[in-house]
Every structure is written in structure tokens, then in C-alpha cells.
Amino acid sequence: MLRGNKGEWSEVYALFKLLGDGKLYPGDKNLNKITNLFFPIIKIIKNELGINCEYTIDGDLVIISNIYDEFRISVDDFASNAVKLLQLIKSQEGTFGDSDIENFMHSFNSRKLKAKSSSKTDIRIVIHDLRIGQTADLGFSIKSELGGNSTLLNAGETTNFIYKITGYNFSNAEIDLINSISTGSKIKDRLNAILRQGTKINFFKTNKEVFGNNLILIDSLLPDILAEIVYNFYTTNNSKIIDLTSHIHNLNPLKYDIKFSHNFYEYKIKKFLIDIALGMMPSKIWQGIYDTTGGHLIIKRNGDIICYHIYNRNQFEDYLFNNTKLDTASSTRHKFGILYKEGDDYFIKLNLQIRF
């Protein structure tokens, strides 16, 4: 039996729901559906086991075709199975399956839950834009509120920032004592212990050059801006991107000329979030080419699906800026939060992870 978690089954639900509805609605910055605007769906293209499968809506039928087969399934069948699958996802925990849903998938030879992780595009949708009278083939990443919080930027050693500590010489015993702090907020408490010695903690460099250069490609000062945001996340009670950005705007650590009320930090962070959402990965060389050419599909808790795409860039930016936050990943797994010495200098690594 096919088994998957809530996020994996959410990708199947998105396919069923969109084919059953036949239209795609945009959302505003607060995840509300804009009901007076929609995009009719012409077809959905999904890659399964290396083969593109096209789901074309033709009246009350969905014509499903690939290089081997063609099937004709009622739109109502997709709609009714979307309802069943939504109830299943809401009621289950961990990994789960369902024979009725699996049998329906097998009726059009679908045997895979999730798109390959090497791409940010989970699904492609050909829509008709009524405003300009043209069709567009858009790639979307699917984010679901039905399970745990989705991740925009996954944590890794690649997303560690290195900070240099000056103003105090720590003994080996003091280093061991600080690193032994194992409270629920151990990273913040270790930083507080370091700062109590009258030290200064300043950004030194990114842990991995590829990620650092990717950030510089987006904006030459972006590594410094993100380092300030990461540091403030671990030393204040702020976690939302919007609050952290406002905080460093007020501090203005990069000494921008803000007398004319330019939102330097907000603009640059929004640009970063868009590039993360549409293709940039920390471990891969980023050339500014979007992998996801559309944007994000959001599956809301009530089962509605709304979209944010590059056509409405301002709404997409505002959605990301207003609905993301920093989170603390595993410091053991990703090797950060430890005070260490190299030569005569002291350092600590802090990690960047962004969730919805």
C-alpha cells in the first residue's frame, strides 16, 4: 500500500482538488482567498518516475495522458476523492495510506506521492489569464498547512553563519562550561554567557562559500544583513521575519542613509525570500535562474488552495514576508552553537532556518 505523511499526501490532494475545481485562486498577504479573481486551469503537468503526465480538463472529464497511456476520468471523481483525502489527512498522524484512494490513483496509473526533492517545482499548471487573454505554463511549489509548518529554507551546515568573538580570552574550562549549557534555550543561554564577559560578537563569514556567494549575487550586503537577523533571532524574543527585519531597520547596523525613509532591509529581505522560494538552494551555485517559474500553492487548513506567483510579485513578496519565521534546528546535527577557538581567536556558528 502507498504510504506517506501529511505533506506527501497533500501533493496528491492538491492534484485532486485543482482538477475537481478547475480553477486557481490567488491569495492576499494574509492568506485570504481573493474570490473575485481566478485563473481557469487548462491542464496540470506532473512528473512521475521521470515521465510527464498531463491532466487536461475537457468539460466534465479529465483526460490523463503520457507517452504510454490515456485515461478519461470524471471531474466529479477527482472532486469527491479530494473531499475523502482531505478528511483522511486531517484525521491521521505519522505515515498512512488508504486503499480506496490508492485504487483511484491506480485507475489512471498514478503510483507516486511526491515530486523529486532536487527541484522546487512540485507541479506545473497551465492556466488562462483572463486579464491578458493568454495562457501560461507555471511551476509551483506546494506548501501545506494540513501537517507541520512547511520549510522555506532548510537548515544545514550550509546555512551556518560564523561570528568572531572579541574582548575576552576564554580559558578551556570556561569554554567547556559554556558549551555544557543544555537548557531548552541553550543557544541563547550560551550567547548570554559569552556576552556577560563584556565581549563583542560580530559576523565573520558564512560557513560555506557557495551559500555566501549566492547571497552576494542577490545583494552584495545580504550576508551581513542576514547575519544580523540570525544574531538577533538568537539574542531577542523575535522570530518572525517581519519583526526581525523591523528590529534591524531600527538598529540600522549597516548604516544606511534612512533619512528619506527608504526600507533598505525590508526590500533586500523580500528579494532574498523570493529567490529562495523560486529556486535558490544554499548548497548549489545560484545563477539567478528560477526553478519554480510560478510560485507557491498553499493548502489551507480548511482545504482551500490559493496561489502566489511571480505575475503578482508584490503580493507574493508580502505573503512571504508576513508569513515566515526563523526556527532553531538541531544544533548537534548541523554543528552550530558551540564556542570554539582557532589560533588566538574565538568563534561561534549560528544557523539559519526559515519556516512558515
Side-chain angles (χ1 to χ4, degrees), residues 136-198:
D137 183 341
L138 303 174
F140 288 96
S141 174
I142 298 171
K143 304 295 181 182
S144 175
E145 293 188 335
L146 299 176
N149 292 333
S150 299
T151 302
L152 180 66
L153 179 68
N154 289 319
E157 289 184 60
T158 50
T159 62
N160 284 338
F161 289 74
I162 303 174
Y163 299 79
K164 188 174 182 179
I165 301 162
T166 57
Y168 186 80
N169 291 322
F170 293 90
S171 68
N172 290 336
E174 287 173 318
I175 292 174
D176 291 341
L177 183 62
I178 288 171
N179 290 336
S180 70
I181 295 173
S182 58
T183 58
S185 55
K186 63 183 180 183
I187 308 301
K188 182 177 288 189
D189 293 338
R190 289 174 189 176
L191 286 169
N192 286 334
I194 292 168
L195 290 168
R196 280 197 295 270
Q197 303 304 321

Side-chain angles (χ1 to χ4, degrees), residues 90-265:
K90 286 183 173 182
S91 66
Q92 299 295 315
E93 297 295 336
T95 59
F96 54 91
D98 182 86
S99 57
D100 290 339
I101 296 295
E102 184 173 353
N103 287 337
F104 177 62
M105 292 173 65
H106 286 176
S107 71
F108 49 90
N109 205 24
S110 177
R111 301 179 184 278
K112 190 170 181 290
L113 300 185
K114 186 173 175 58
K116 60 181 181 179
S117 60
S118 60
S119 170
K120 291 211 171 190
T121 299
D122 296 319
I123 197 169
R124 285 166 50 206
I125 305 177
V126 180
I127 63 167
H128 181 69
D129 193 327
L130 297 170
R131 295 171 298 178
I132 60 175
Q134 294 182 354
T135 61
D137 183 341
L138 303 174
F140 288 96
S141 174
I142 298 171
K143 304 295 181 182
S144 175
E145 293 188 335
L146 299 176
N149 292 333
S150 299
T151 302
L152 180 66
L153 179 68
N154 289 319
E157 289 184 60
T158 50
T159 62
N160 284 338
F161 289 74
I162 303 174
Y163 299 79
K164 188 174 182 179
I165 301 162
T166 57
Y168 186 80
N169 291 322
F170 293 90
S171 68
N172 290 336
E174 287 173 318
I175 292 174
D176 291 341
L177 183 62
I178 288 171
N179 290 336
S180 70
I181 295 173
S182 58
T183 58
S185 55
K186 63 183 180 183
I187 308 301
K188 182 177 288 189
D189 293 338
R190 289 174 189 176
L191 286 169
N192 286 334
I194 292 168
L195 290 168
R196 280 197 295 270
Q197 303 304 321
T199 59
K200 291 185 178 180
I201 302 177
N202 295 302
F203 172 57
F204 182 62
K205 65 177 182 178
T206 55
N207 192 46
K208 300 293 183 180
E209 286 183 300
V210 168
F211 183 48
N213 286 335
N214 286 349
L215 298 179
I216 291 169
L217 182 68
I218 297 170
D219 188 283
S220 61
L221 292 175
L222 190 55
D224 302 85
I225 294 171
L226 284 173
E228 290 290 338
I229 282 181
V230 169
Y231 179 75
N232 278 278
F233 166 66
Y234 287 103
T235 55
T236 70
N237 292 323
N238 293 323
S239 62
K240 294 181 178 179
I241 290 283
I242 189 171
D243 295 334
L244 288 163
T245 306
S246 176
H247 184 72
I248 68 164
H249 170 83
N250 294 330
L251 294 176
N252 194 16
L254 274 67
K255 308 301 180 186
Y256 287 123
D257 181 359
I258 58 175
K259 64 176 177 287
F260 299 110
S261 301
H262 285 90
N263 290 320
F264 292 101
Y265 297 97

